[in-house]
Amino acid sequence: MYLFSTQTLMDLLCGVPEVKDFADGVPRGGVYLSVVSLGLVDQAIRETPAKDGRDQLDRFFRRILSMARTHSTIEAFGESAASIWAKLAAHDLQVDGDGERPMTDVERMILATALDRKLVLVEQAQPYHPMIPELKVADPYAG
């Protein structure tokens, strides 16, 4: 089972072919979404100008959200994930977006959720991946 990172979920909504192909290959009910990612994506959509396709993004987001509710694949950030999140603070975790930068607390919450639920995190290869041996990752962008 897979937990989509926030960026991967956003890329799915935007129709990035590699992410769409990956999602299409996962059995129904096999894609999990963090409540943290859902909030971040909802915020990003609300900040998207109408001329840039906000309504279309919102419609697709609501459809994905409905499917996740139907399959009970929305993951809350709970007590056990919070404990993992706290332990991750001891690591200098770096992410690569537009240059390498420290992982934010919010990103660490999503990572902690994947580790807590033993889900495969779906995201582009990141510098921190080798630092967490128990983390399983699928990179749909790798080709």
Side-chain angles (χ1 to χ4, degrees):
M1 301 299 150
Y2 301 93
L3 181 74
F4 275 31
S5 72
T6 303
Q7 186 60 56
T8 304
L9 175 56
M10 199 66 206
D11 288 348
L12 178 64
L13 293 173
C14 292
V16 172
E18 300 89 347
V19 176
K20 185 181 178 319
D21 290 346
F22 180 88
D24 287 346
V26 175
R28 225 173 256 273
V31 172
Y32 287 73
L33 304 172
S34 163
V35 293
V36 176
S37 290
L38 292 175
L40 291 169
V41 168
D42 194 12
Q43 178 185 18
I45 291 170
R46 290 170 191 269
E47 292 172 354
T48 300
K51 67 179 179 56
D52 292 338
R54 179 185 57 224
D55 292 341
Q56 182 178 348
L57 284 173
D58 188 60
R59 276 191 301 278
F60 196 26
F61 177 62
R62 300 295 160 202
R63 192 170 348 144
I64 288 173
L65 187 56
S66 176
M67 285 188 292
R69 286 179 180 143
T70 298
H71 294 289
S72 300
T73 56
I74 297 174
E75 291 294 334
F77 183 77
E79 183 179 348
S80 57
S83 179
I84 294 169
W85 174 85
K87 291 173 190 162
L88 290 171
H91 300 282
D92 179 27
L93 303 177
Q94 298 289 311
V95 295
D96 192 11
D98 295 328
E100 217 168 278
R101 62 169 174 76
M103 180 181 277
T104 65
D105 285 342
V106 172
E107 290 166 327
R108 221 172 357 114
M109 290 171 74
I110 297 161
L111 172 58
T113 301
L115 291 168
D116 180 49
R117 304 300 193 281
K118 296 178 179 34
L119 296 169
V120 176
L121 184 62
V122 180
E123 71 176 350
Q124 187 172 18
Q126 294 294 326
Y128 76 87
H129 290 165
M131 296 179 65
I132 306 171
E134 65 273 24
L135 177 64
K136 294 180 182 112
V137 179
D139 181 356
Y141 307 90

